[in-house]
Amino acid sequence: MSDKLRRSAVLIEPYKQLRFGVLFLTINFIFSILCFSIFYFFLSDVQQTLEIYFKLDAAQIGQIREKFLQPLMLAGGLFILFILVTLYISVSYTHKFYGPLVSIHRFLDELHEGKSPAPIRLRTQDQLQELADRLNRLLESKKLGNKD
């Protein structure tokens, strides 16, 4: 891959990408809190049932709480991992859209100003390939039309 096609900045349009990421993060955070709350409710209910059914003393209740602490911490860790992975995916996915959008906007601005813009060159994993190809064909046909 040529150095010209490599984008070093992860956040091309920081405000838009972060706004999308925060929306994604909020949805995941709410979902995670709901799932964790349900999980906690069921573990708490099982603990209370054990306390009542077996008439446990304070030391035994403490042992049961210790046993339930590990699954709760594991679930909490998994929800945090879920949120972080989702945030990473949202940033990398938006990177594939906003980079091409910046190139397309620059191309259209130059075209609108009457300049002859360079063809749009996107990375192979970028989105909006078809749009860039059509704009490049438009540029090529305009150049051919001006030569006649």
Side-chain angles (χ1 to χ4, degrees):
M1 180 184 318
S2 122
D3 287 336
K4 282 186 171 184
L5 293 180
R6 174 164 273 168
R7 276 193 299 272
S8 59
V10 174
L11 296 175
I12 313 274
E13 293 271 337
Y15 175 74
K16 292 176 183 176
Q17 282 180 269
L18 290 176
R19 189 177 72 193
F20 179 76
V22 167
L23 173 68
F24 233 58
L25 187 63
T26 303
I27 291 168
N28 287 335
F29 186 70
I30 290 169
F31 174 76
S32 295
I33 292 292
L34 289 173
C35 288
F36 189 77
S37 298
I38 291 169
F39 184 71
Y40 178 79
F41 170 76
F42 283 119
L43 279 182
S44 178
D45 191 46
V46 168
Q47 177 188 339
Q48 289 174 358
T49 302
L50 289 173
E51 289 174 23
I52 293 168
Y53 185 74
F54 292 108
K55 297 179 180 139
L56 302 176
D57 62 23
Q60 292 169 325
I61 292 171
Q63 286 177 333
I64 289 176
R65 285 187 181 155
E66 284 181 29
K67 291 286 185 188
F68 285 168
L69 187 61
Q70 185 178 8
L72 277 173
M73 300 221 5
L74 181 61
L78 286 174
F79 287 127
I80 290 170
L81 181 64
F82 171 71
I83 289 170
L84 292 175
V85 167
T86 305
L87 187 61
Y88 170 77
I89 289 171
S90 71
V91 168
S92 64
Y93 188 70
T94 58
H95 182 75
K96 293 175 184 179
F97 273 100
Y98 286 113
L101 283 176
V102 168
S103 297
I104 290 169
H105 282 200
R106 186 179 313 119
F107 176 90
L108 292 173
D109 286 344
E110 288 178 8
L111 198 61
H112 180 71
E113 292 169 0
K115 298 177 183 175
S116 181
I120 301 170
R121 295 178 55 205
L122 302 179
R123 300 175 309 164
T124 55
Q125 67 269 24
D126 281 341
Q127 299 294 318
L128 306 175
Q129 295 283 348
E130 285 183 37
L131 178 60
D133 290 342
R134 286 180 183 208
L135 288 171
N136 286 335
R137 285 195 310 259
L138 174 71
L139 178 66
E140 191 61 35
S141 68
K142 185 177 177 185
K143 284 181 180 178
L144 291 175
N146 288 342
K147 288 183 179 181
D148 292 340

